[in-house]
Amino acid sequence: MSIKSIFNNIYLKNIVAIIIVIALLIVATFWALNIYTKHGEAVVVPDIKGVTVAEALPLLKSKGLRYEVVDSIFAKNKTPGVICEQVPQANTKVKPNRIIFITINSFSTKQIELPDVRDLSLRQAETILQNAGFATSILLVDSEFKDLVLRVKKGEAIVYPGTKLLDGTRLTLEVGNGGDSAYSDSIRIDSAKEGTTTSTTNDDSWF
């Protein structure tokens, strides 16, 4: 078959055309991807921790970056409203237009619902309250139930389960000391009523 006849073959022409189209599509696809992903372009994420969102915004815009607040916490040792965490971290290389996810320090203290620790052992109650975010102190009171939490107080006021208190609130746990003076007094009073306290008088008969 001569070269001229090959070029005049309609089937071969179609195959060649298809190959050319596919090649052009592949080239165009890679070119578009390079533009879309900004291949070879990168910006360094600035350190925006410790500043407010308003202060961080110009820094992010200058790098072509965006931000999104994803969470808030309350840290007593930090200024309210400042950024506490950022993802990606500072000095990370990212593509332009990347979203920086930030966590800010809340303007108000978090409130915690008081769990019910009454009738629990002192160790259990302290663990539960401290894990919840409360500070605790102990006040021993007369009770036959040693190391059992009888009530919870904030200052002089009794607080009940479900009450919402500020994170870090100091609570006083009234805990039984294992001795019940009130119970002993009642026994003495009852004995007096029954006349059994006259035993000391009856002792005179021995002299």
Side-chain angles (χ1 to χ4, degrees):
M1 181 181 290
S2 66
I3 296 175
K4 184 177 180 180
S5 61
I6 292 174
F7 280 102
N8 288 333
N9 190 309
I10 187 67
Y11 297 107
L12 290 177
K13 285 182 178 180
N14 289 338
I15 292 172
V16 171
I18 290 171
I19 292 172
I20 293 172
V21 169
I22 292 173
L24 289 174
L25 286 174
I26 292 172
V27 171
T29 300
F30 278 105
W31 179 74
L33 284 173
N34 282 338
I35 294 176
Y36 180 75
T37 59
K38 300 183 185 295
H39 182 68
E41 292 185 36
V43 294
V44 177
V45 177
D47 186 359
I48 55 175
K49 290 195 290 186
V51 301
T52 65
V53 174
E55 292 170 329
L57 190 55
L59 293 173
L60 295 174
K61 281 187 173 181
S62 68
K63 300 285 186 177
L65 301 171
R66 297 175 291 155
Y67 78 91
E68 182 178 328
V69 178
V70 293
D71 197 7
S72 64
I73 60 174
F74 182 80
K76 295 179 182 178
N77 59 338
K78 295 183 183 293
T79 305
V82 300
I83 297 169
C84 300
E85 296 293 338
Q86 65 177 89
V87 178
Q89 297 296 324
N91 300 318
T92 303
K93 288 186 177 181
V94 298
K95 299 293 184 183
N97 205 37
R98 172 71 183 268
I99 296 176
I100 308 301
F101 300 100
I102 61 177
T103 299
I104 63 171
N105 193 32
S106 175
F107 285 90
S108 59
T109 307
K110 185 171 83 173
Q111 289 195 323
I112 308 170
E113 192 171 289
L114 178 66
D116 191 356
V117 296
R118 296 171 300 180
D119 297 328
L120 296 181
S121 69
L122 173 59
R123 180 176 294 181
Q124 283 180 296
E126 282 188 311
T127 300
I128 291 171
L129 292 175
Q130 289 172 6
N131 286 342
F134 296 108
T136 59
S137 56
I138 303 165
L139 176 64
L140 295 177
V141 296
D142 286 334
S143 171
E144 61 181 312
F145 305 108
K146 184 174 176 59
D147 291 335
L148 190 73
V149 176
L150 304 176
R151 61 188 64 87
V152 180
K153 285 186 170 182
K154 178 189 172 187
E156 296 299 321
I158 297 175
V159 285
Y160 296 94
T163 303
K164 287 190 175 181
L165 302 168
L166 296 179
D167 184 14
T169 297
R170 177 166 291 278
L171 301 173
T172 301
L173 304 179
E174 289 196 353
V175 180
N177 61 6
D180 190 353
S181 61
Y183 180 74
S184 301
D185 288 341
S186 67
I187 292 294
R188 286 195 295 271
I189 293 171
D190 290 341
S191 298
K193 288 180 180 178
E194 295 171 5
T196 56
T197 53
T198 57
S199 57
T200 53
T201 305
N202 294 336
D203 287 343
D204 294 338
S205 61
W206 293 92
F207 292 95

